[in-house]
Amino acid sequence: MPSAIEVRKVPIHSVADASELAKLIDDGVMEAGRVIAIIGKTEGNGGVNDYTRIISDRAFREVLVEKGADPDAVKQIPIVWSGGTDGVISPHATIFATTDAEPSEESRLTVGFAMSEVLLPEDIGRVAMVTKVADAVKEAMAKAGITDVADVHYVQTKTPLLTVHTIRDAKSRGKTVWTEHTHESMDLSNGCTALGIAVALGEIEMPTDEDVMKDRSLYSAVASCSSGVELDQAQIVVVGNATGVGGRYRVGHSVMKDALDADGIWDAIRSAGLDLPERPHTSDLDGKLVNVFLKCEVSQDGQVRGRRNAMLDDSDVHWHRQIKSAVGGVTAAVTGDPAVFVSVSAAHPGPDGGGPVAAIVDLG
């Protein structure tokens, strides 16, 4: 049986700051050697060349080593950074660590981690990637002690995208790639990964190569997929609930139907186990919400609730930044806290124009 989980959200005070992680360890909230995953937002541009992700990654791993964790083990910890804190979104990290707790028959938070087989540049956006991701999701579920897919509420991934170098590598071996536009490959990698999650959890049947980025009716309601230049495998973190693990925390999920769907966020919080009134207010959270994790995507028809917007036509500010800022504002208005995990590029995580929402709460 997996260990119980301690989870805390901490602010990031500057690009290279990990002082709040150090404080958690110094205060005895968690042990450096028992940190198993970190998921956070950095303040870069969120694009292919967003190196704030690498800077934060290094800062957090260095603190873990300084505080006594085994350096080789620290290299293997999944640390998933989503770049871009547009609008009111505040840089922060959510840290997961194992802890000792009495076993309980109550359903409580559990986390499992796995790495996929190496993803070649020619795999990205094709069934080969879907299959490799699906296999890794099943492995992570098993490590989390989850046997029922209904108990999976949040799957956070980090996968490679295409760069000029990897495109050149594929061509040198006589292979083709789905796209030669590196920024487009971010959406592609995220979307294809979500399809792999959906296949693993039985949300959809195995898609075809032609379905990727085309059939938006195919999606996962629990996928949160990010991509970057810092790895060549799918890094999978499965977050769900299981009986027997014990602990104070529980996770739930729902789906935002569109960029303004605050009710979808509230539904995720209810799903996690908080008893809320019919028309809840931020004050009803009573400090029990640890964090929410969202993916968002601009609607392909260029509208929200029947009203036209110009995000897809804007040549000055990419729609990635606009929709992230908008959904970040809606989310912060619900939670009362701008330190929310809102990530863009959700072609197959969630429905067109909407996206999955996961919430972790402290049930005491």
Side-chain angles (χ1 to χ4, degrees), residues 83-119:
T85 51
D86 304 86
V88 299
I89 300 171
S90 183
H92 69 280
T94 304
I95 303 159
F96 299 81
T98 59
T99 188
D100 296 322
E102 290 296 320
S104 169
E105 290 307 308
E106 298 292 331
S107 182
R108 289 294 183 267
L109 184 72
T110 182
V111 177
F113 165 67
M115 295 289 283
S116 76
E117 294 181 36
V118 170
L119 291 165

Side-chain angles (χ1 to χ4, degrees), residues 187-205:
D187 298 336
L188 175 67
S189 182
N190 293 352
C192 196
T193 302
L195 293 175
I197 294 167
V199 167
L201 301 181
E203 295 175 283
I204 64 170
E205 298 296 324

Side-chain angles (χ1 to χ4, degrees), residues 26-352:
D26 290 342
D27 291 347
V29 175
M30 54 182 60
E31 297 176 25
R34 301 190 71 172
V35 172
I36 59 169
I38 299 172
I39 299 170
K41 291 292 299 181
T42 66
E43 61 202 80
N45 61 23
V48 175
N49 65 332
D50 183 353
Y51 298 109
T52 64
R53 297 184 298 239
I54 297 174
I55 294 169
S56 289
D57 189 273
R58 178 177 296 176
F60 275 71
R61 293 186 197 274
E62 286 178 351
V63 164
L64 291 175
V65 173
E66 288 170 5
K67 297 299 180 180
D70 177 69
D72 290 333
V74 168
K75 292 177 183 177
Q76 302 305 313
I77 295 172
I79 301 184
V80 179
W81 297 109
S82 170
T85 51
D86 304 86
V88 299
I89 300 171
S90 183
H92 69 280
T94 304
I95 303 159
F96 299 81
T98 59
T99 188
D100 296 322
E102 290 296 320
S104 169
E105 290 307 308
E106 298 292 331
S107 182
R108 289 294 183 267
L109 184 72
T110 182
V111 177
F113 165 67
M115 295 289 283
S116 76
E117 294 181 36
V118 170
L119 291 165
L120 302 171
E122 59 265 28
D123 292 339
I124 296 173
R126 292 167 175 157
V127 168
M129 183 177 189
V130 174
T131 301
K132 290 178 180 180
V133 168
D135 289 344
V137 170
K138 293 175 183 177
E139 180 184 346
M141 276 183 59
K143 290 181 178 178
I146 298 174
T147 56
D148 186 346
V149 294
D151 289 325
V152 176
H153 294 278
Y154 174 41
V155 182
Q156 179 64 58
T157 66
K158 194 64 181 271
T159 51
L161 45 70
L162 292 169
T163 65
V164 171
H165 172 74
T166 57
I167 292 169
R168 187 184 304 120
D169 170 65
K171 288 182 175 181
S172 73
R173 294 180 286 105
K175 305 295 183 180
T176 63
V177 293
W178 198 93
T179 180
E180 295 191 22
H181 296 284
T182 58
H183 197 271
E184 182 184 36
S185 77
M186 178 182 296
D187 298 336
L188 175 67
S189 182
N190 293 352
C192 196
T193 302
L195 293 175
I197 294 167
V199 167
L201 301 181
E203 295 175 283
I204 64 170
E205 298 296 324
M206 179 64 74
T208 65
D209 285 348
E210 289 71 30
D211 291 327
V212 178
M213 304 299 289
K214 300 292 195 303
D215 187 349
R216 298 299 180 102
S217 70
L218 302 177
Y219 67 84
S220 171
V222 298
S224 179
C225 306
S226 294
S227 53
V229 299
E230 60 267 39
L231 72 175
D232 61 1
Q233 296 168 275
Q235 197 176 68
I236 311 286
V237 181
V238 167
V239 183
N241 298 312
T243 57
V245 297
R248 297 161 39 191
Y249 303 94
R250 198 166 186 277
V251 62
H253 81 277
S254 187
V255 169
M256 287 182 78
K257 297 179 179 65
D258 61 34
L260 301 179
D261 185 17
D263 287 341
I265 304 170
W266 287 116
D267 287 343
I269 298 169
R270 286 191 181 93
S271 170
L274 283 193
D275 186 18
L276 297 171
E278 183 178 352
R279 295 179 63 83
H281 181 267
T282 301
S283 59
D284 297 314
L285 297 174
D286 195 26
K288 296 177 181 177
L289 178 66
V290 177
N291 206 1
V292 289
F293 306 84
L294 298 87
K295 289 296 290 187
C296 59
E297 175 86 354
V298 68
S299 179
Q300 295 299 292
D301 64 5
Q303 299 185 60
V304 175
R305 301 195 180 183
R307 296 289 193 181
R308 182 177 70 88
N309 61 70
M311 284 187 281
L312 290 172
D313 292 324
D314 196 327
S315 298
D316 295 314
V317 181
H318 194 276
W319 65 262
H320 274 194
R321 310 201 73 163
Q322 298 190 46
I323 193 67
K324 189 192 309 175
S325 179
V327 174
V330 171
T331 306
V334 167
T335 66
D337 182 357
V340 289
F341 186 92
V342 178
S343 177
V344 76
S345 184
H348 293 291
D352 182 33

